[in-house]
Amino acid sequence: MRNWLVLLCPCVLGAALHLWLRLRSPPPARASEAGPADNSALSSHWKARHYDVVVGVLSARNNHELRNVIRSTWLKHLLQHPALSQRVLVKFIIGAQGCEVPVEDREDPYSCRLLNITNPVLNQEIEAFSLPEDTSSGLPEDRVVSVSFRVLYPIVITSLGVFYDASDVGFQRNITVKLYQAEQEEALFVARFSPPSCGVQSFEGTIVWESQDVLGLVSRNLHRVTVNDGGGVLRVITAGEGALPRELMEGVEGVAGGFIYTIQEGDALLRSLHSRPRRLIDHLRSLHEEDALLKEESSIYDDIVFVDVVDTYRNVPAKLLNFYSWTVATVSFDLLLKTDDDCYVDLEAVFNRITQKNLDGPNFWWGNFRLNWAVDRTGKWQELEYPSPAYPAFACGSGYVISRDIVGWLASNAGWLKTYQGEDVSMGIWMAAIGPRRYQDSLWLCEKTCETGMLSSPQYSPQELTELWKRKESCGDPCLCEAR
């Protein structure tokens, strides 16, 4: 019996070998106000001042329109304000290097890893796992064995089965093979094998082999099994504990079977691989043009800090640490406000709040905190390295404020702090080490909503930010002008 399942999986994160490029790894925390192609520091009048608040705005290299909207709205208002203009310094945080891998050739849109498919095995069935010559002994302690895998290009899995040792008695009881989609507790497919029978059925997923018979599985540590990735379309992620619901974690890591698959849309894949050199040339030309535009933008506005990382979503925590280091080394200040370039921010409301609530002092963190936030194992916020099922408390990214001593601690330890999938959860994990005084404030909005008196609100387009600020200037409220 054979069932067919077409699996269309998006490219996702994982390590890969670069074909043509030697990608630059993010170096230790370091930053410069200089442009992406200029290492000389600019001489700026603001360096000699002391500021109540430094505002760091995380921004992507190509978000020129969002930065210009900020310059024409709340930042313009700040610079024209007779009191606040002397108390606040605003800087956009941008990676000094763009990713040298064209978007179409990356494993996913969030990292700078090449989708390393070479010599794909087309128009034939591929056996994912095969045993070495010596298959005489099983692992008697195995009750459950498993392997997690990721599909980097569409494949069709045609059969799912178990290893069978013909030189021995083989399994004497039924064996169940289950396929799990990542992050799901119920099996997508279940195949049961009786002693005389042969294999059936089967994505990002986990396959589990279960047996009631201690000696029923012919299993091997994954490192002793030959993996056929079809030229790079398949990757094994983990084996054994950690990939499954807790009630299934009974055995040691290993693999007790495999599956057979074919590569889907082989002709399209070959065309894409053949056109890579041309895409690379065009992409590198675009990067040079982008560097020139950023250098010009920086020289005009003097409000960009270029941090020495490749500017991708996965590197945002490193961008933040680099900015902290730059701030401590360069600026005299009391508090630091972090926000994003797609956020509405009301700095006057922030200062009023600071005065009303006496929000200052050492070891201080002010924001809207998410508590017991579950760790995602798939998608944009995929986290494979933080072991807990939930993150420590972290402030949502539309805005938060920390005291200078915390910024100093982060800067001093930047070379040792591990970065995780996002800057907000990374910040929460880092802060768990020092236990700052947290001040919870729901006016730092976590979702794209408009509330009277809000300090910030995220995820707006340039046009939406412009409209919010027009209402703010017109009637003092970005949300309710028409009602008034």
Side-chain angles (χ1 to χ4, degrees), residues 37 39 41 54-56 83 109 132 147 158 201 235 238 248 273 328 367 389 426 452 455 473:
N39 292 323
V54 171
V55 180
V147 61
T158 60
Q201 298 174 340
R235 175 180 303 127
T238 59
L248 296 179
L273 293 177
V328 169
S426 293
T452 300
L455 304 173
E473 288 190 316

Side-chain angles (χ1 to χ4, degrees), residues 162-239:
V162 296
F163 292 146
Y164 181 79
D165 187 356
S167 65
D168 207 334
V169 292
F171 54 90
Q172 299 299 302
R173 293 192 177 185
N174 290 347
I175 292 177
T176 301
V177 184
K178 297 179 180 180
L179 173 67
Y180 291 85
Q181 183 177 356
E183 289 282 80
Q184 291 191 358
E185 295 187 0
E186 293 188 5
L188 289 179
F189 299 95
V190 177
R192 292 183 174 86
F193 297 82
S194 300
S197 74
C198 247
V200 204
Q201 298 174 340
S202 178
F203 128 85
E204 188 171 325
T206 298
I207 299 178
V208 183
W209 295 268
E210 298 175 330
S211 175
Q212 297 174 337
D213 187 350
V214 175
L215 298 175
L217 295 177
V218 176
S219 55
R220 287 290 180 276
N221 183 292
L222 188 63
H223 300 295
R224 297 182 59 200
V225 173
T226 301
V227 179
N228 190 333
D229 64 3
V233 301
L234 184 76
R235 175 180 303 127
V236 173
I237 310 170
T238 59

Side-chain angles (χ1 to χ4, degrees), residues 81-102:
H81 196 285
L84 293 184
S85 62
Q86 304 301 311
R87 302 174 65 188
V88 183
L89 176 67
V90 178
K91 290 290 182 178
F92 294 100
I93 313 165
I94 298 177
Q97 299 94 40
C99 176
E100 294 180 344
V101 180

